[in-house]
Amino acid sequence: MKRLISVFLMSVLVFVMHFAFAQESAVVVEQGFGKSTAGSDGIVFIRPFDKEKADVFSIGMNYYFRPERAFFRLNSGLSYYSIFDTDAGFKYLRLPVGIELCLGRRLQVLPAAGLSGSYLLDYNPDAVSDDFVKSRSLFQLGWYGRLGVGFLMKDQYMINLAWQQNFDLTHLYRVSLISPGGAPYSLDVKGYEGMLMLGVRCNIFRNSNAPQRPPD
C-alpha cells in the first residue's frame, strides 16, 4: 500500500515539474456516463451499457499540458463520481495523473493511461454490508486506460470523446469468509468502471517557435 501511494505521489511531482516546460496548456471540462461493479476475482472489464451493472456518473475539470516538442500531453485534475447501485449510492472525489499521446493534428487519436487517487465522500449506511462498514477504505489508489478521438477547432478548442476503464489497485473493502475446512479468510473487493467520456478543451496557453511577421 505504501509503495503504491509513493508511486502516485511521485507521478504528481513529475506533473508539477513539467509545468515549467509547457509548450501548450489546456483546461477541459469533462462529463462521463457508464457502468460500475465491484469484485474480488482480478481485473474486470466493463461492457458498454451492461444492464446488470450499477450506473456511474462523473463530472470534472482537468488540466493538460504538452512539454516542448513532445508528442504527448500530461494531465491532472479533479473529478466527482457518483455510483448508484440499487439503494447504495457511493460518492467519490478522484484525482487523476496521466499521460495522453497526441496522434494527428486536426483530428487526433488520443490513447491515454495513468494513476488516480479516490476519496470516499459518502454512501448509504443502510444499504451496505457489515463487511463494508467494518473494513471500508476511505482512500483507493487505482489506474485507468482510455482510447478516444479529439477534433481541434480553430487551434483553441477541442471536442474529445473517449471510452475509459477504471480499475482499483487497493481494496474498497474486505469480505470475511470461512473455508470448507473451517479456517477464516478474507478477500479484497475492488471497484471497476467503464465510462463514455465527453469533454470540451480550451487552450489557455500556446508557445509557438514559428517566426512572427514583423510590424509594418
Side-chain angles (χ1 to χ4, degrees):
M1 175 68 174
K2 292 182 179 180
R3 182 178 299 178
L4 292 174
I5 293 177
S6 298
V7 171
F8 177 71
L9 293 177
M10 285 297 295
S11 300
V12 174
L13 179 61
V14 170
F15 175 85
V16 173
M17 291 177 64
H18 275 81
F19 177 80
F21 303 99
Q23 179 185 11
E24 176 185 321
S25 300
V27 172
V28 55
V29 176
E30 193 167 52
Q31 193 168 18
F33 300 93
K35 294 293 181 176
S36 176
T37 191
S40 57
D41 297 328
I43 292 178
V44 178
F45 288 92
I46 308 297
R47 297 189 302 271
F49 315 116
D50 191 334
K51 295 183 179 180
E52 297 179 358
K53 302 296 189 285
D55 293 321
V56 57
F57 162 84
S58 74
I59 186 169
M61 179 173 289
N62 291 315
Y63 174 73
Y64 285 81
F65 69 86
R66 184 176 179 179
E68 189 75 24
R69 300 183 181 88
F71 63 92
F72 61 89
R73 300 183 184 96
L74 301 175
N75 74 283
S76 186
L78 189 64
S79 299
Y80 170 81
Y81 277 70
S82 183
I83 299 172
F84 302 94
D85 187 2
T86 59
D87 294 327
F90 302 91
K91 298 177 175 60
Y92 291 90
L93 280 182
R94 183 165 293 174
L95 171 67
V97 177
I99 184 171
E100 175 188 79
L101 300 185
C102 316
L103 307 177
R105 299 190 66 179
R106 184 68 60 185
L107 180 63
Q108 299 184 14
V109 180
L110 305 171
L115 296 174
S116 63
S118 300
Y119 183 78
L120 180 61
L121 294 173
D122 193 21
Y123 65 92
N124 183 358
D126 298 325
V128 294
S129 66
D130 291 339
D131 283 332
F132 180 88
V133 174
K134 293 177 182 178
S135 62
R136 71 186 186 278
S137 176
L138 295 179
F139 177 81
Q140 287 89 42
L141 185 65
W143 68 278
Y144 68 90
R146 64 188 289 173
L147 180 62
V149 293
F151 182 71
L152 187 63
M153 300 179 294
K154 297 183 180 179
D155 292 332
Q156 184 176 5
Y157 297 99
M158 177 188 286
I159 297 177
N160 64 266
L161 182 67
W163 178 255
Q164 178 170 314
Q165 295 274 346
N166 302 322
F167 310 91
D168 280 350
L169 291 172
T170 56
H171 74 273
L172 176 62
Y173 67 100
R174 291 189 171 97
V175 176
S176 299
L177 299 171
I178 298 178
S179 70
Y185 69 100
S186 64
L187 291 176
D188 287 350
V189 176
K190 301 176 181 178
Y192 308 94
E193 294 127 26
M195 306 185 67
L196 186 65
M197 312 294 290
L198 176 63
V200 178
R201 306 186 190 190
C202 177
N203 286 330
I204 58 176
F205 171 77
R206 191 177 184 91
N207 180 23
S208 175
N209 292 322
Q212 302 296 316
R213 179 184 176 185
D216 294 332

